[in-house]
Amino acid sequence: LLRQIPQEMVENIEIITNPSAKYEAEGAAGIINLILKKQSEAGFNSMLTLLAGWNNKYNGDVQFNYRKNKLNMFGGVSGTSYNTDVAGDLNRTSLIGGKDFEYNTYLVQTTTIGTISGNLGLDYDLNDKNNISASSNFGPMRFDIGLNNKVFRGFTEDGVDEKYLATNSLLLDGFFVNPKVGWLHKFDQDGHQIDINIFAGGFQGDLLQDRNEYLVDDNWGNVQDVWMKSNSSEKSLIKDARLKVDYEKPFGENKLEMGTQLSRYVEDNKFVLNDYDFDQDIWIKNTGFSNDATLNRDIYAGYAIWSGPLKGLHYSLGLRAEYTDRLIAQVTTDEEYAYSKLGLFPSGSLSKTLKGGQQLQFSFSRRINRPNRQFLNPFPQFIDNQTVRAGNPDLKPEFVNSFELSFQQPVKIGMFSVETYYRQANDLTSQVFSADDEGNMFFGFENANQSHSAGAEFMGNLGFTKWFRLVATGNVYYYSLVDERMADLDNTSLQWSTRVNTMFMFGSNSRLTFSGVYTGPTLMLQGRMAGTFMLNAGFTQTFLKRAASLTLGVRDMLSTYRIQMETFS
């Protein structure tokens, strides 16, 4: 759904790694807060953005805003047609009966995203103390994915092999709508207010899939017609509703914040897999993989925060309570799996401004990461003829405890900062791989015991001259993954990443930027992911008194971005 928010509407993005108890506890790594632009100028204002890129990448967006007296109306239309190509190799070896069974695939994937969305809304000041608002995003959503795979499998030691071409086309076609209404009331005391918001989101769509396999000769030429055909359809209905009340009241230099939130999430999926019977020339429903499943999750939350000054410091202490009531209903097998738990999520911060503008801050929080329906549905899910996935209805949420200590040092040409942190996660959701006696892959989901990460992040934001600025970050941390089932695994590593942004200004209207990102090797429960590197560049020229701009961007300009992952079991 984030794809439906035009980038031109975003004023700022906040990365909050240790959010206060005011925010939902969902999100093991923290939250991303999108602050949208709000037009304050009277009269009619509009913005038009067009994007075109190589390999069929197009985007158009127009937004308008009309403000008069107490009324502010806004809206717009966005459209996207975007192609992405991915090529890769999957090489898998299974030890079966003392022999190596090889399964190798060269895959080519093309993804086309086609969306058109609208947004409408208004703000109205009833008086100096009351404001009401209503808005909604809505529109169709379409994803079209094509896969063409060359597959080799068999016991190579015995000279037994099999080659075939596998094609797979997926089409997601649906519609979403996200209405929201709000009321803000300000009391006579400055900073004393209550804010009430109601959100009701929804999505309905179909995922259609066609699979074909062709036997081929050694030169990958067609030997015969299709020898395997299957298709599937998945109907999805998602409903997401929330009622949120936030209350703030100052008490001298201190402040009390408290509130409540009621959430209801419902996801209903009906999946049907059909196999083609060549002898009878008919499609036959595969009951081994066709199933209906629903996820119902209710969350009842409340929080309180007390903040204020204390002997030259500023502190904040908060506690959030969330009661989760979850039910997975496997309609096909007539089974239900219930889970309910009360979670407490404390948070707090302590900060001090030193001489020369230096800032020192300590913060902590507890977060949760809840598994989705695919992770929970125990019914086998067909991926392809060699791969099957199944969820785990007993999967528990992840809980993360996070502590951070940061220091900021302003200098004449900018700012330096260093942040040390420790994070401890319990019941990590991890994929677990296994293979049967024929080399077919099965993967499911389990809770690993816990992980520990401790490290430091360094950042410098420096403007050396009027025409050159450098922003560089480096992150290095020790990571340990503990799981009693993997006692023989070396689950510790030293991991690091870095990002460097350079900006060259030519006058007040021209800007050239380069951005390089490197992420070091990453540890997983059953393997590792290799490091990745990407270099991007962009040039922006503004004109018409900065009322318009033209940007040229190149992503992965050195063609170095690769994802390489190794797993073992």
Side-chain angles (χ1 to χ4, degrees):
L1 297 181
L2 288 176
R3 294 180 181 273
Q4 314 310 316
I5 301 178
Q7 62 182 9
E8 293 76 22
M9 293 180 61
V10 178
E11 177 72 25
N12 195 14
I13 300 177
E14 291 181 338
I15 309 298
I16 307 175
T17 52
N18 266 353
S20 71
K22 179 178 181 178
Y23 297 96
E24 294 182 48
E26 180 79 23
I31 63 174
I32 298 175
N33 186 27
L34 298 179
I35 302 173
L36 303 184
K37 294 178 180 178
K38 189 172 182 179
Q39 181 62 252
S40 59
E41 297 180 9
F44 183 83
N45 301 274
S46 63
M47 176 180 289
L48 172 67
T49 302
L50 300 175
L51 179 147
W54 278 264
N55 193 25
N56 299 319
K57 294 177 174 63
Y58 304 101
N59 176 270
D61 174 69
V62 58
Q63 299 293 323
F64 73 88
N65 188 94
Y66 177 74
R67 173 177 289 275
K68 185 176 182 180
N69 300 327
K70 298 181 178 181
L71 176 65
N72 181 57
M73 299 179 62
F74 54 91
V77 177
S78 301
T80 299
S81 178
Y82 207 88
N83 276 15
T84 301
D85 293 329
V86 176
D89 292 282
L90 170 64
N91 303 311
R92 195 165 74 207
T93 303
S94 301
L95 186 63
I96 300 176
K99 299 179 180 179
D100 286 340
F101 183 86
E102 301 286 343
Y103 179 87
N104 304 320
T105 303
Y106 175 72
L107 63 91
V108 177
Q109 173 179 322
T110 299
T111 302
T112 300
I113 302 172
T115 63
I116 183 169
S117 62
N119 63 286
L120 286 173
L122 62 86
D123 295 309
Y124 186 72
D125 295 323
L126 298 174
N127 49 49
D128 293 340
K129 303 295 183 182
N130 294 277
N131 173 271
I132 59 174
S133 62
S135 62
S136 179
N137 287 18
F138 51 87
M141 184 183 299
R142 184 182 178 93
F143 291 80
D144 194 351
I145 302 176
L147 288 161
N148 292 280
N149 299 335
K150 294 180 179 180
V151 182
F152 166 85
R153 68 194 299 262
F155 291 98
T156 53
E157 300 175 21
D158 298 340
V160 179
D161 58 21
E162 184 178 75
K163 288 185 176 182
Y164 60 89
L165 293 174
T167 64
N168 194 345
S169 62
L170 301 91
L171 175 63
L172 173 65
D173 200 356
F175 187 87
F176 74 94
V177 60
N178 299 313
K180 175 185 175 181
V181 295
W183 172 51
L184 174 64
H185 173 72
K186 297 180 179 180
F187 298 92
D188 292 336
Q189 182 185 10
D190 188 30
H192 187 195
Q193 65 181 38
I194 184 171
D195 191 8
I196 302 175
N197 288 279
I198 300 175
F199 170 85
F203 171 81
Q204 184 171 4
D206 296 321
L207 177 61
L208 306 176
Q209 191 167 181
D210 286 298
R211 307 173 186 86
N212 299 292
E213 292 184 0
Y214 308 79
L215 282 177
V216 295
D217 56 25
D218 289 340
N219 297 320
W220 298 100
N222 283 345
V223 173
Q224 63 182 55
D225 292 334
V226 180
W227 70 288
M228 191 289 293
K229 293 173 64 174
S230 68
N231 64 45
S232 63
S233 64
E234 183 174 6
K235 294 184 177 296
S236 298
L237 177 63
I238 298 175
K239 300 177 182 178
D240 187 3
R242 304 172 201 173
L243 169 63
K244 191 170 188 290
V245 180
D246 297 302
Y247 174 78
E248 299 181 14
K249 180 174 174 56
F251 290 89
E253 294 183 324
N254 299 299
K255 184 171 71 170
L256 172 67
E257 300 175 71
M258 57 190 304
T260 184
Q261 178 171 308
L262 308 178
S263 304
R264 162 155 285 195
Y265 180 87
V266 179
E267 185 175 351
D268 184 18
N269 287 78
K270 294 178 173 60
F271 181 82
V272 176
L273 176 66
N274 298 306
D275 295 321
Y276 187 72
D277 188 317
F278 288 90
D279 294 333
Q280 303 182 60
D281 194 24
I282 58 173
W283 290 96
I284 299 177
K285 181 179 179 180
N286 189 325
T287 57
F289 292 102
S290 301
N291 73 100
D292 296 354
T294 61
L295 167 63
N296 291 272
R297 185 172 60 218
D298 296 332
I299 301 175
Y300 310 92
Y303 74 89
I305 302 172
W306 181 261
S307 61
L310 178 65
K311 296 182 178 181
L313 304 174
H314 187 276
Y315 74 95
S316 173
L317 290 174
L319 179 64
R320 185 180 185 91
E322 291 189 354
Y323 179 79
T324 302
D325 188 8
R326 184 185 81 192
L327 179 67
I328 284 285
Q330 178 42 251
V331 180
T332 303
T333 59
D334 193 24
E335 295 176 298
E336 292 186 346
Y337 306 89
Y339 172 89
S340 60
K341 186 172 183 177
L342 175 65
L344 299 178
F345 303 93
S347 67
S349 66
L350 187 65
S351 62
K352 182 176 179 59
T353 301
L354 306 174
K355 294 181 179 180
Q358 299 172 335
Q359 288 188 346
L360 184 66
Q361 177 173 299
F362 170 77
S363 65
F364 68 91
S365 70
R366 188 170 191 248
R367 309 288 296 166
I368 187 174
N369 197 25
R370 298 182 176 90
N372 61 29
R373 176 194 57 82
Q374 287 189 341
F375 287 14
L376 295 168
N377 183 9
F379 206 91
Q381 301 167 55
F382 182 87
I383 305 300
D384 56 41
N385 277 338
Q386 285 75 43
T387 311
V388 174
R389 175 181 63 199
N392 179 2
D394 297 322
L395 205 61
K396 295 180 290 185
E398 299 175 358
F399 288 92
V400 180
N401 301 306
S402 177
F403 303 87
E404 297 180 359
L405 177 64
S406 62
F407 175 76
Q408 291 186 8
Q409 172 67 62
V411 294
K412 290 183 178 181
I413 60 174
M415 178 268 293
F416 285 104
S417 71
V418 58
E419 178 183 279
T420 59
Y421 58 86
Y422 170 74
R423 294 188 180 97
Q424 185 260 329
N426 296 311
D427 296 323
L428 280 78
T429 299
S430 301
Q431 287 191 17
V432 180
F433 299 86
S434 60
D436 63 16
D437 292 340
E438 296 181 355
N440 298 313
M441 179 65 70
F442 171 86
F443 69 91
F445 304 92
E446 298 287 346
N447 287 114
N449 291 79
Q450 58 182 225
S451 70
H452 304 268
S453 58
E457 184 172 46
F458 307 88
M459 186 186 76
N461 189 338
L462 306 172
F464 292 97
T465 67
K466 293 182 178 180
W467 56 269
F468 177 68
R469 174 170 289 276
L470 172 68
V471 181
T473 62
N475 184 20
V476 58
Y477 61 100
Y478 171 81
Y479 184 69
S480 173
L481 182 60
V482 181
D483 187 77
E484 58 189 14
R485 295 162 306 166
M486 301 287 173
D488 59 337
L489 215 60
D490 182 12
N491 283 332
T492 60
S493 68
L494 186 66
Q495 303 180 185
W496 64 283
S497 63
T498 183
R499 175 188 294 268
V500 177
N501 296 326
T502 59
M503 181 182 300
F504 301 88
M505 282 75 71
F506 306 97
S508 60
N509 295 319
S510 304
R511 183 174 70 248
L512 175 65
T513 60
F514 292 94
S515 174
V517 183
Y518 176 79
T519 300
T522 303
L523 183 70
M524 301 182 300
L525 181 64
Q526 287 181 274
R528 296 177 183 273
M529 181 175 290
T532 60
F533 173 71
M534 179 185 289
L535 179 64
N536 305 322
F539 179 79
T540 299
Q541 176 70 43
T542 62
F543 47 94
L544 297 179
K545 296 182 179 180
R546 303 182 68 85
S549 65
L550 181 65
T551 298
L552 173 66
V554 182
R555 295 185 59 190
D556 191 21
M557 61 187 302
L558 300 181
S559 191
T560 55
Y561 188 70
R562 300 288 186 275
I563 297 176
Q564 184 175 349
M565 181 173 62
E566 181 181 16
T567 62
F568 50 89
S569 61

